[in-house]
Amino acid sequence: MDRLDHREQLDKHLADELARVARETIRDELRQQTRKQRRRAALYAGSGALALYAGAALALALGLALSLGVPDWAAALITAVVLGAAAYLLRGAARPSASRPTAGREGEAAAEHAAGRDRVPGGTAPGTPPGGTGPAGYPPVPPVAPAPGGATGAAPQVGVDPHEPPRDR
């Protein structure tokens, strides 16, 4: 019996030791991955900052080149328009291709826009049928009779139950 208890204790000790080693190994691996990711993020941030400065220098060079032939204010305006157009084109390139109208869908998109039914991102709005004619997910609401005095705009009388029939006075 004593030998069996000793074996169980050794098994428990071995399992605890293996679990501790596995936790330490995973913890060390996560630390290394975190260091690598932080370094990569710092490099991306640095490259983004340098690209921003390069873009500013390019815009300045364009403005200075234009100012040789046109007034300075016109050169600055032309440079701003060129940068705005580039930003617009980049924004359009960043959009997912499913939201862009293709040659077959241009007429359909124009017809829906003219009809006042602009597309909702991801398809139709929740609770509407595919045709978009109305809220299919909700039952119709029955009409409500106006409260006494509500149709005329008069304030309801204090101390009088609106659901009780009027008494002769």
Side-chain angles (χ1 to χ4, degrees), residues 19 23 56 63 79 100 109 119 149 159 169:
R23 279 193 299 266
T79 303
R100 286 190 215 140
R119 288 196 173 270
R169 295 185 187 173

Side-chain angles (χ1 to χ4, degrees), residues 74-158:
L77 186 63
I78 292 170
T79 303
V81 168
V82 167
L83 288 175
Y88 182 77
L89 291 174
L90 285 175
R91 189 194 82 181
R95 285 189 175 167
S97 61
S99 65
R100 286 190 215 140
T102 59
R105 290 181 38 203
E106 283 179 0
E108 177 186 330
E112 286 185 6
H113 182 68
R117 294 179 304 190
D118 292 335
R119 288 196 173 270
V120 176
T124 59
T128 59
T133 57
Y138 303 106
V141 178
V144 177
T152 60
Q157 297 177 355
V158 178

Side-chain angles (χ1 to χ4, degrees), residues 60-85:
L60 180 64
L62 176 67
L64 290 174
L66 286 172
S67 70
L68 294 175
V70 295
D72 292 343
W73 64 268
L77 186 63
I78 292 170
T79 303
V81 168
V82 167
L83 288 175

